[in-house]
Amino acid sequence: MTTTSAEGTGAGAALTPRQTVQAMSGLMMGLFVAILAGTVVSTALPRIIHDLGASQSSYTWVVTLELLAMTATVPLWGKLADLYNNKLLVQLSLGFFVVGSLVAGFAPNIEVLLGSRVLQGLGGGGLTALVQIVMAAIIPPRELGRYSGIFGAVFASATVGGPLLGGFLVDSPLGWRACFLIGVPFVIAAIILLQRTLHLPTVRREVKIDWWGAFLITAGVSTLLVWTTFAGKRFDWVSGWSILMVGGALVALVAAVLVERRHPEPIIPMDLFRNLTVTLAIVASALVGVAMFGGSVFLAQYFQVAQGYSPTKAGLMSLPMIIGMMGASTVAGGLITKYGKWKIYLVIGSILLPIGLALFGTIDAHTSKYMLWGFMLVLGVGIGLVMQNLVLAAQNDVPARELGAATSSVSFFRSMGGTIGVSVLGAILANKVLDTLNPGGAASGGGGVVPNVAELAPPVRALVENAYGDATADLFMMSVPFAVLALLAVIFIKEKPLLTTTATERRADEEAAGKQDA
């Protein structure tokens, strides 16, 4: 039995532009701060890790744990969005983020900091899926391009702008702890604003939660991501531990597929993968995740360690990527709404991605900042054109009842690609740096700990800078094949006309048609 009640004015009808902007304001504020929390630490990490006496492995884990929690829970949030009130779920996600941020801000050691990142990841997973689902619920796909452009600009500015804010805070009297605490008041304000401005229909019906599917998907993905983090450091890539972890992950994921095919309310409906557009969008999104997360995480370290910039200057160095991502996302969104064509922007962005990554594959510790700015602009435009439009393509091609699952699946695999990319590339970076510096030589200045180059003797500093510069270039060059595969996936996506009704309206029509058939 399904019943729908209007929660406030405007729940049951299309919103005016003014009402839409009001409803979106709280969403965008919460999303910006939550995403910012994941990237603001990238510039601050060298100082955080140094102050806490942690290692390069911990450096990667601070980023990976949040991405891991976010990745593993995105499908769960997406499915809950198909079953429960979305406003409540968004506020719950923001609540997880607030608690995690407070714990991180007062963390006395690296272990507590890592635990807090899990809580932040839970909140981030909810927002990654839910904001786009809510957007589709109140805005038709034809008009969604404009707002998706704004969403992409917010996502891009938070993803790449975080390092700028992080650098400023680290160099200020507030210190690195402010990176975690500064967003808390804004998220609380977003929760209050959403309570007042966001009005959605509340769907009440009997549901069956797919607990086994949720458990198996989370266990399989988490095991696989933990393996990519430990392999090459704690044990060899080809070893008994690798066989055990990969084998266990595959068994869990195969079991999850079997459960999902039989459950009436699956976390990830297997029927989604019969839709070629959704499948190709998922594949491309996973591959793009490597470029998006890898660029923001390791470039901040490159600027500080390889080129010797302060945290503030390292953050300023990322401005061209912010400009590229924001500009491309906003302009493309407006053009999509005006003309109704979207594939051309996906193709152009997918071409620019491997070009930008390949350009970064040529850098070293002495690369001119002007060349770096140009490279970042190319890569930023590529990401800005691709990221959000892949979600739009998937949302436009599924029934409204599967909108949450489709949206969260695309976001899930993008996060998964980013998490695996950060884990694997981080492990490769650590090994390459260690092999270059050689234990007992220059590595004695760090012993596996991320060094503060300002404290090193000039000869040792030069060796460390060159080691990190060359290793970072290798990471970007390794990412090029993934971007080329993403381009191939995008080419085969078929462009379909954008729908002109909201997901809420389409869902009502689908339910009415179902009752007539019954």
Side-chain angles (χ1 to χ4, degrees), residues 416-496:
M416 185 173 175
T419 307
I420 292 177
V422 170
S423 299
V424 175
L425 295 178
I428 294 173
L429 175 70
N431 290 334
K432 283 183 173 292
V433 168
L434 188 61
D435 290 343
T436 302
L437 297 181
N438 197 6
S444 61
V449 175
V450 179
N452 183 346
V453 292
E455 299 176 355
L456 299 178
V460 177
R461 175 173 178 168
L463 289 173
V464 170
E465 289 175 343
N466 288 327
Y468 274 89
D470 294 342
T472 303
D474 290 343
L475 300 190
F476 279 102
M477 195 59 75
M478 290 176 187
S479 301
V480 172
F482 296 99
V484 173
L485 292 175
L487 171 60
L488 294 176
V490 164
I491 288 174
F492 286 101
I493 294 178
K494 183 179 179 181
E495 183 166 28
K496 297 182 180 181

Side-chain angles (χ1 to χ4, degrees), residues 155 280-296 325 346 349-351 353-354 357 379-380 382-390 410 413-419 421 479 481-487 489-490:
F155 197 103
L280 291 173
I282 285 173
V283 171
S285 208
L287 295 167
V288 169
V290 176
M292 184 175 68
F293 288 104
S296 61
M325 294 172 73
L346 272 179
S350 299
I351 292 173
L353 271 178
L357 292 171
L379 188 59
I383 295 174
L385 291 175
V386 170
M387 183 185 67
Q388 185 57 24
N389 290 326
L390 286 172
V410 175
F413 282 96
R414 181 179 65 217
S415 298
M416 185 173 175
T419 307
S479 301
F482 296 99
V484 173
L485 292 175
L487 171 60
V490 164

Side-chain angles (χ1 to χ4, degrees), residues 79 241 486:
K79 188 57 191 177
W241 276 109

Side-chain angles (χ1 to χ4, degrees), residues 69-134:
M70 181 174 70
T71 300
T73 57
V74 161
L76 309 185
W77 288 107
K79 188 57 191 177
L80 291 173
D82 288 333
L83 305 178
Y84 299 110
N85 183 268
N86 289 344
K87 183 168 84 170
L88 178 61
L89 293 175
V90 171
Q91 291 173 316
L92 183 62
S93 300
L94 292 170
F96 275 120
F97 171 77
V98 168
V99 174
S101 297
L102 290 173
V103 174
F106 296 102
N109 52 52
I110 191 65
E111 289 77 17
V112 174
L113 178 62
L114 293 176
S116 70
R117 297 293 282 173
V118 174
L119 291 175
Q120 288 184 314
L122 291 175
L127 290 168
T128 298
L130 294 168
V131 169
Q132 296 173 90
I133 293 170
V134 171

